[in-house]
Amino acid sequence: MVGSIRFEGVKKTFHTVTGETVNALSGVDLEIEKGKFVCLIGPSGCGKSTMLRILAGLDTPTEGSVYIDDKKVQRPDCDRGLVFQDPNLFPWLNIYDNVAFGLKVRKLYKKRSADISEYMELVGLKGFEKSYPHQLSGGMCQRASLARALIGHPKALLLDEPLGALDAFTRMNMQDELLRIKAEKDMTMIMVTHDVDEAVYLADKIVVMTPRPAKIEKVIDVDLYQPRDRNNPEFIRLRSEILKILDFAGKEPDVEYNI
Amino acid sequence: MKILRPLLPLLSLAAAEIVAFAVPDSPLHQPAKHPYFAILLIIAVAVYYIAATAQYFKNKNNSATEKPVFYRGPFLAGVILFLNLLNIFTVKTALFPVLYFPALDRVFGTLVEDRTLIIKCIGFSMGILLKGVAGGLIIGFFMGIAVGFSKAAEYWINPLIRILGPIPSTAWIPILLVVFSEARSASSFIIGISVWFPTVVLTSSGIANVKNSYFEVSSTLGAGQLQKIFRIGVPAAMPSIFLGLFNGICGSFVALMTAEMIGAKYGIGWYVNWQKEMMAYSNVYAGLIVIAVMFYLVITVLFKIRDRVLGWQKGVIKW
């Protein structure tokens, strides 16, 4: 199994239109063992999405570096799959071609085209190959987007609030799906979320972050067996612990930055 | 009304035929060789009823999503009625000025009697049009991609587009006549310019408006720079590119007609212009009919291609 991740002194600053310098991330050190499910949680502006984008290779850190399996992250690559809140399916391709996209651009399509139906089945979209994204519901699109990211066998799957736009029922359903997929495909998953309940339900490790300065406040290991019971006393205790940390952070002035 | 609907074209045809044959022509009009107008109407109505029969069997096999069998019946009846009135006002009564409103028999007769020259003109015009459209489209498309993706290309090419693009393509005629030895090449060039400008502008702006996250997702899936351009940028910008092409082609019709008036020896625009000089207005109308049909077919082909290429974005843009 591969997919250990290391953040070493990662800082990110950027300049706003008005010329101000903003610390989007002020010095992050984090070690993630392979095969873990990690949730990054915190209010807006705490740098959790920035961390994920740097890990994906979409943004470069101002200082420090990120390593995946001791290899420095330089640019986006298919060893790190990425799923956004918006499924971002390519609307001009049907679901099959969307899922096949990664294989096609890497010239693996001929060799591995049989995998496509396997992954369609994995995310529960069998029979929707010919549909176009606009014909499917938000939850189904997010499933397709998962399959598209997973088919390239990423070492780590990065999830940027992937369930944020879904309704409560679909959301809980998708949480279980993520756990099932992770158990089946064996990879590191890193998920950004706003939802404390979701984090405690899913994660092996919860990284609680605070804004101003944007940094890691606390890393909590969750020692609960899967599947988890949302009414378990330990579950409830963890949830209130995280909420307490976040509440403390929430007293800081609430400013949002758009990168 | 419902029972009458299938019969409407037939009734309208009967009225027109009665007028055509029973009412004597005005002596002011030159007589035509054959009753072309009356024959044409009969052929049109016959074709319509054959098509309606075919539609009837198609509907029988298919579900109710098809159009009703006689959907276009009232429309055809209306057209025949209009032509019938026109026939009355021209050749039957000479109420309209005789010189500018020739008999319909002679207008349609021109299409038959002058067909060799007209077909030659159509071939000539289409040749120029295709050459110009293809050139303008290809150059506009690749230039648009370059401007959309490369900062350097944007820096150097964009001002050129802004300055040269808005010049009406026909304003280039005096220069082109010097540069090109042949009128045909000059005409193609004018058409090329008129297609190039909207295509390049809408291609580059289409690409600039592609959601950045599409590119980000594709790079995490392993796509390289070229793949990002041709697998993401171009298909995502396709609706906009088509809009540019559509505008360009409509503009190219104007350019074609004007271009053919600069020393061309053939071409349907030249034909209309030449016949006007000869005061042969029946030929002018025949030429206009040919132009209408020709451009209608070009646009129809374009729409068919669009429906095929842009089938994925149903209900997003309608034009």
Side-chain angles (χ1 to χ4, degrees), chain A residues 172-199:
Chain A
M172 271 153 76
N173 188 324
M174 286 293 283
Q175 290 169 357
D176 290 330
E177 291 279 84
L178 280 176
L179 290 173
R180 181 178 62 80
I181 289 167
K182 183 170 169 300
E184 212 168 302
K185 293 292 166 193
D186 237 351
M187 66 185 74
T188 312
M189 281 194 181
I190 302 174
M191 177 161 154
V192 163
T193 182
H194 272 120
D195 183 344
V196 178
D197 227 62
E198 185 169 272

mmCIF file of all heavy atoms in Angstrom, chain A residues 172-199:
data_model
loop_
_atom_site.group_PDB
_atom_site.id
_atom_site.type_symbol
_atom_site.label_atom_id
_atom_site.label_comp_id
_atom_site.label_asym_id
_atom_site.label_seq_id
_atom_site.Cartn_x
_atom_site.Cartn_y
_atom_site.Cartn_z
ATOM 1 N N MET A 172 -25.422 11.261 3.647
ATOM 2 C CA MET A 172 -25.107 10.173 4.561
ATOM 3 C C MET A 172 -24.850 8.890 3.786
ATOM 4 O O MET A 172 -23.954 8.115 4.108
ATOM 5 C CB MET A 172 -26.242 9.991 5.562
ATOM 6 C CG MET A 172 -26.009 10.869 6.778
ATOM 7 S SD MET A 172 -27.493 11.362 7.627
ATOM 8 C CE MET A 172 -27.952 9.931 8.504
ATOM 9 N N ASN A 173 -25.629 8.710 2.753
ATOM 10 C CA ASN A 173 -25.458 7.562 1.878
ATOM 11 C C ASN A 173 -24.067 7.575 1.228
ATOM 12 O O ASN A 173 -23.358 6.569 1.197
ATOM 13 C CB ASN A 173 -26.558 7.676 0.813
ATOM 14 C CG ASN A 173 -26.635 6.471 -0.063
ATOM 15 O OD1 ASN A 173 -25.611 5.892 -0.375
ATOM 16 N ND2 ASN A 173 -27.838 6.101 -0.457
ATOM 17 N N MET A 174 -23.663 8.750 0.759
ATOM 18 C CA MET A 174 -22.366 8.864 0.085
ATOM 19 C C MET A 174 -21.201 8.682 1.064
ATOM 20 O O MET A 174 -20.138 8.198 0.686
ATOM 21 C CB MET A 174 -22.250 10.228 -0.616
ATOM 22 C CG MET A 174 -23.073 10.363 -1.872
ATOM 23 S SD MET A 174 -22.512 9.306 -3.209
ATOM 24 C CE MET A 174 -21.078 10.210 -3.778
ATOM 25 N N GLN A 175 -21.433 9.083 2.332
ATOM 26 C CA GLN A 175 -20.376 8.871 3.335
ATOM 27 C C GLN A 175 -20.064 7.377 3.462
ATOM 28 O O GLN A 175 -18.904 6.972 3.481
ATOM 29 C CB GLN A 175 -20.796 9.447 4.679
ATOM 30 C CG GLN A 175 -20.838 10.969 4.691
ATOM 31 C CD GLN A 175 -21.513 11.530 5.923
ATOM 32 O OE1 GLN A 175 -22.016 10.792 6.765
ATOM 33 N NE2 GLN A 175 -21.545 12.852 6.020
ATOM 34 N N ASP A 176 -21.130 6.577 3.516
ATOM 35 C CA ASP A 176 -20.915 5.133 3.611
ATOM 36 C C ASP A 176 -20.257 4.594 2.338
ATOM 37 O O ASP A 176 -19.419 3.699 2.398
ATOM 38 C CB ASP A 176 -22.255 4.416 3.849
ATOM 39 C CG ASP A 176 -22.771 4.702 5.257
ATOM 40 O OD1 ASP A 176 -21.931 4.908 6.158
ATOM 41 O OD2 ASP A 176 -23.998 4.732 5.439
ATOM 42 N N GLU A 177 -20.662 5.176 1.205
ATOM 43 C CA GLU A 177 -20.069 4.751 -0.061
ATOM 44 C C GLU A 177 -18.567 5.015 -0.068
ATOM 45 O O GLU A 177 -17.777 4.189 -0.516
ATOM 46 C CB GLU A 177 -20.720 5.505 -1.224
ATOM 47 C CG GLU A 177 -22.154 5.138 -1.475
ATOM 48 C CD GLU A 177 -22.272 3.854 -2.268
ATOM 49 O OE1 GLU A 177 -22.209 2.790 -1.617
ATOM 50 O OE2 GLU A 177 -22.404 3.914 -3.488
ATOM 51 N N LEU A 178 -18.176 6.174 0.437
ATOM 52 C CA LEU A 178 -16.748 6.517 0.473
ATOM 53 C C LEU A 178 -15.977 5.504 1.310
ATOM 54 O O LEU A 178 -14.907 5.047 0.916
ATOM 55 C CB LEU A 178 -16.561 7.924 1.057
ATOM 56 C CG LEU A 178 -16.805 9.095 0.107
ATOM 57 C CD1 LEU A 178 -16.687 10.409 0.859
ATOM 58 C CD2 LEU A 178 -15.792 9.064 -1.036
ATOM 59 N N LEU A 179 -16.547 5.145 2.462
ATOM 60 C CA LEU A 179 -15.871 4.170 3.324
ATOM 61 C C LEU A 179 -15.761 2.810 2.630
ATOM 62 O O LEU A 179 -14.733 2.148 2.693
ATOM 63 C CB LEU A 179 -16.628 4.026 4.645
ATOM 64 C CG LEU A 179 -16.547 5.247 5.567
ATOM 65 C CD1 LEU A 179 -17.453 5.075 6.766
ATOM 66 C CD2 LEU A 179 -15.112 5.474 6.033
ATOM 67 N N ARG A 180 -16.824 2.442 1.928
ATOM 68 C CA ARG A 180 -16.823 1.163 1.236
ATOM 69 C C ARG A 180 -15.751 1.164 0.140
ATOM 70 O O ARG A 180 -14.970 0.220 0.009
ATOM 71 C CB ARG A 180 -18.208 0.908 0.620
ATOM 72 C CG ARG A 180 -18.328 -0.410 -0.114
ATOM 73 C CD ARG A 180 -19.735 -0.601 -0.653
ATOM 74 N NE ARG A 180 -20.111 0.426 -1.618
ATOM 75 C CZ ARG A 180 -19.727 0.405 -2.895
ATOM 76 N NH1 ARG A 180 -18.959 -0.554 -3.337
ATOM 77 N NH2 ARG A 180 -20.105 1.346 -3.717
ATOM 78 N N ILE A 181 -15.721 2.265 -0.629
ATOM 79 C CA ILE A 181 -14.752 2.359 -1.722
ATOM 80 C C ILE A 181 -13.336 2.332 -1.170
ATOM 81 O O ILE A 181 -12.445 1.668 -1.688
ATOM 82 C CB ILE A 181 -14.995 3.639 -2.543
ATOM 83 C CG1 ILE A 181 -16.282 3.494 -3.347
ATOM 84 C CG2 ILE A 181 -13.817 3.932 -3.466
ATOM 85 C CD1 ILE A 181 -16.793 4.783 -3.941
ATOM 86 N N LYS A 182 -13.146 3.033 -0.051
ATOM 87 C CA LYS A 182 -11.807 3.093 0.520
ATOM 88 C C LYS A 182 -11.361 1.701 0.978
ATOM 89 O O LYS A 182 -10.223 1.290 0.750
ATOM 90 C CB LYS A 182 -11.779 4.062 1.706
ATOM 91 C CG LYS A 182 -10.401 4.195 2.274
ATOM 92 C CD LYS A 182 -10.295 5.314 3.265
ATOM 93 C CE LYS A 182 -8.974 5.223 3.985
ATOM 94 N NZ LYS A 182 -8.797 3.956 4.712
ATOM 95 N N ALA A 183 -12.297 0.966 1.593
ATOM 96 C CA ALA A 183 -11.957 -0.383 2.038
ATOM 97 C C ALA A 183 -11.634 -1.277 0.842
ATOM 98 O O ALA A 183 -10.740 -2.105 0.889
ATOM 99 C CB ALA A 183 -13.127 -0.962 2.831
ATOM 100 N N GLU A 184 -12.363 -1.060 -0.237
ATOM 101 C CA GLU A 184 -12.187 -1.922 -1.399
ATOM 102 C C GLU A 184 -10.916 -1.582 -2.167
ATOM 103 O O GLU A 184 -10.254 -2.454 -2.704
ATOM 104 C CB GLU A 184 -13.407 -1.754 -2.315
ATOM 105 C CG GLU A 184 -13.779 -2.995 -3.076
ATOM 106 C CD GLU A 184 -15.154 -2.826 -3.712
ATOM 107 O OE1 GLU A 184 -16.136 -2.574 -2.971
ATOM 108 O OE2 GLU A 184 -15.232 -2.934 -4.945
ATOM 109 N N LYS A 185 -10.585 -0.298 -2.263
ATOM 110 C CA LYS A 185 -9.491 0.121 -3.144
ATOM 111 C C LYS A 185 -8.213 0.480 -2.392
ATOM 112 O O LYS A 185 -7.184 0.710 -3.024
ATOM 113 C CB LYS A 185 -9.934 1.323 -4.000
ATOM 114 C CG LYS A 185 -10.998 0.983 -4.992
ATOM 115 C CD LYS A 185 -10.479 0.053 -6.081
ATOM 116 C CE LYS A 185 -11.641 -0.532 -6.858
ATOM 117 N NZ LYS A 185 -11.240 -1.648 -7.715
ATOM 118 N N ASP A 186 -8.306 0.571 -1.077
ATOM 119 C CA ASP A 186 -7.087 0.730 -0.302
ATOM 120 C C ASP A 186 -6.225 1.922 -0.702
ATOM 121 O O ASP A 186 -5.255 1.793 -1.433
ATOM 122 C CB ASP A 186 -6.231 -0.532 -0.471
ATOM 123 C CG ASP A 186 -5.958 -1.134 0.889
ATOM 124 O OD1 ASP A 186 -6.285 -0.471 1.885
ATOM 125 O OD2 ASP A 186 -5.440 -2.255 0.940
ATOM 126 N N MET A 187 -6.587 3.091 -0.260
ATOM 127 C CA MET A 187 -5.788 4.271 -0.592
ATOM 128 C C MET A 187 -5.920 5.287 0.545
ATOM 129 O O MET A 187 -6.754 5.121 1.433
ATOM 130 C CB MET A 187 -6.284 4.886 -1.885
ATOM 131 C CG MET A 187 -7.672 5.446 -1.756
ATOM 132 S SD MET A 187 -8.308 6.043 -3.290
ATOM 133 C CE MET A 187 -8.655 4.528 -4.115
ATOM 134 N N THR A 188 -5.080 6.292 0.483
ATOM 135 C CA THR A 188 -5.203 7.369 1.445
ATOM 136 C C THR A 188 -6.298 8.316 0.951
ATOM 137 O O THR A 188 -6.356 8.606 -0.233
ATOM 138 C CB THR A 188 -3.873 8.140 1.540
ATOM 139 O OG1 THR A 188 -2.823 7.179 1.676
ATOM 140 C CG2 THR A 188 -3.859 9.079 2.715
ATOM 141 N N MET A 189 -7.150 8.750 1.864
ATOM 142 C CA MET A 189 -8.169 9.724 1.456
ATOM 143 C C MET A 189 -8.038 10.948 2.349
ATOM 144 O O MET A 189 -7.926 10.829 3.571
ATOM 145 C CB MET A 189 -9.576 9.153 1.600
ATOM 146 C CG MET A 189 -9.993 8.220 0.479
ATOM 147 S SD MET A 189 -11.766 7.925 0.518
ATOM 148 C CE MET A 189 -11.956 6.804 -0.855
ATOM 149 N N ILE A 190 -8.025 12.104 1.720
ATOM 150 C CA ILE A 190 -7.965 13.347 2.476
ATOM 151 C C ILE A 190 -9.150 14.196 2.061
ATOM 152 O O ILE A 190 -9.341 14.474 0.878
ATOM 153 C CB ILE A 190 -6.654 14.094 2.191
ATOM 154 C CG1 ILE A 190 -5.488 13.179 2.543
ATOM 155 C CG2 ILE A 190 -6.590 15.382 2.993
ATOM 156 C CD1 ILE A 190 -4.165 13.747 2.185
ATOM 157 N N MET A 191 -9.935 14.570 3.055
ATOM 158 C CA MET A 191 -11.184 15.242 2.735
ATOM 159 C C MET A 191 -11.290 16.548 3.507
ATOM 160 O O MET A 191 -11.042 16.604 4.705
ATOM 161 C CB MET A 191 -12.334 14.314 3.112
ATOM 162 C CG MET A 191 -13.686 14.886 2.914
ATOM 163 S SD MET A 191 -14.850 13.502 2.871
ATOM 164 C CE MET A 191 -16.300 14.315 3.411
ATOM 165 N N VAL A 192 -11.642 17.582 2.776
ATOM 166 C CA VAL A 192 -11.920 18.869 3.401
ATOM 167 C C VAL A 192 -13.405 18.923 3.689
ATOM 168 O O VAL A 192 -14.212 18.573 2.836
ATOM 169 C CB VAL A 192 -11.525 20.019 2.457
ATOM 170 C CG1 VAL A 192 -12.177 21.310 2.882
ATOM 171 C CG2 VAL A 192 -10.013 20.171 2.416
ATOM 172 N N THR A 193 -13.771 19.330 4.887
ATOM 173 C CA THR A 193 -15.200 19.400 5.189
ATOM 174 C C THR A 193 -15.491 20.506 6.193
ATOM 175 O O THR A 193 -14.610 20.996 6.884
ATOM 176 C CB THR A 193 -15.709 18.045 5.725
ATOM 177 O OG1 THR A 193 -17.100 18.130 5.973
ATOM 178 C CG2 THR A 193 -14.987 17.643 6.994
ATOM 179 N N HIS A 194 -16.749 20.927 6.198
ATOM 180 C CA HIS A 194 -17.223 21.906 7.183
ATOM 181 C C HIS A 194 -17.988 21.210 8.296
ATOM 182 O O HIS A 194 -18.383 21.819 9.271
ATOM 183 C CB HIS A 194 -18.204 22.878 6.512
ATOM 184 C CG HIS A 194 -17.540 24.048 5.885
ATOM 185 N ND1 HIS A 194 -17.638 24.313 4.549
ATOM 186 C CD2 HIS A 194 -16.764 25.011 6.409
ATOM 187 C CE1 HIS A 194 -16.947 25.398 4.282
ATOM 188 N NE2 HIS A 194 -16.404 25.840 5.390
ATOM 189 N N ASP A 195 -18.240 19.931 8.074
ATOM 190 C CA ASP A 195 -19.235 19.242 8.869
ATOM 191 C C ASP A 195 -18.528 18.363 9.909
ATOM 192 O O ASP A 195 -17.887 17.368 9.575
ATOM 193 C CB ASP A 195 -20.086 18.396 7.901
ATOM 194 C CG ASP A 195 -21.215 17.686 8.613
ATOM 195 O OD1 ASP A 195 -21.160 17.589 9.857
ATOM 196 O OD2 ASP A 195 -22.149 17.217 7.934
ATOM 197 N N VAL A 196 -18.649 18.738 11.176
ATOM 198 C CA VAL A 196 -17.951 18.024 12.246
ATOM 199 C C VAL A 196 -18.431 16.577 12.329
ATOM 200 O O VAL A 196 -17.646 15.642 12.454
ATOM 201 C CB VAL A 196 -18.181 18.748 13.589
ATOM 202 C CG1 VAL A 196 -17.509 17.988 14.722
ATOM 203 C CG2 VAL A 196 -17.671 20.166 13.534
ATOM 204 N N ASP A 197 -19.735 16.400 12.211
ATOM 205 C CA ASP A 197 -20.323 15.069 12.268
ATOM 206 C C ASP A 197 -19.722 14.155 11.198
ATOM 207 O O ASP A 197 -19.360 13.016 11.457
ATOM 208 C CB ASP A 197 -21.824 15.211 12.006
ATOM 209 C CG ASP A 197 -22.619 14.429 13.007
ATOM 210 O OD1 ASP A 197 -22.514 14.764 14.204
ATOM 211 O OD2 ASP A 197 -23.319 13.492 12.571
ATOM 212 N N GLU A 198 -19.617 14.712 10.012
ATOM 213 C CA GLU A 198 -19.079 13.956 8.879
ATOM 214 C C GLU A 198 -17.634 13.544 9.167
ATOM 215 O O GLU A 198 -17.234 12.412 8.931
ATOM 216 C CB GLU A 198 -19.135 14.828 7.629
ATOM 217 C CG GLU A 198 -18.734 14.147 6.360
ATOM 218 C CD GLU A 198 -19.088 15.004 5.148
ATOM 219 O OE1 GLU A 198 -20.219 14.864 4.660
ATOM 220 O OE2 GLU A 198 -18.248 15.813 4.716
ATOM 221 N N ALA A 199 -16.868 14.491 9.704
ATOM 222 C CA ALA A 199 -15.462 14.226 9.989
ATOM 223 C C ALA A 199 -15.327 13.104 11.006
ATOM 224 O O ALA A 199 -14.558 12.159 10.820
ATOM 225 C CB ALA A 199 -14.783 15.492 10.484
#
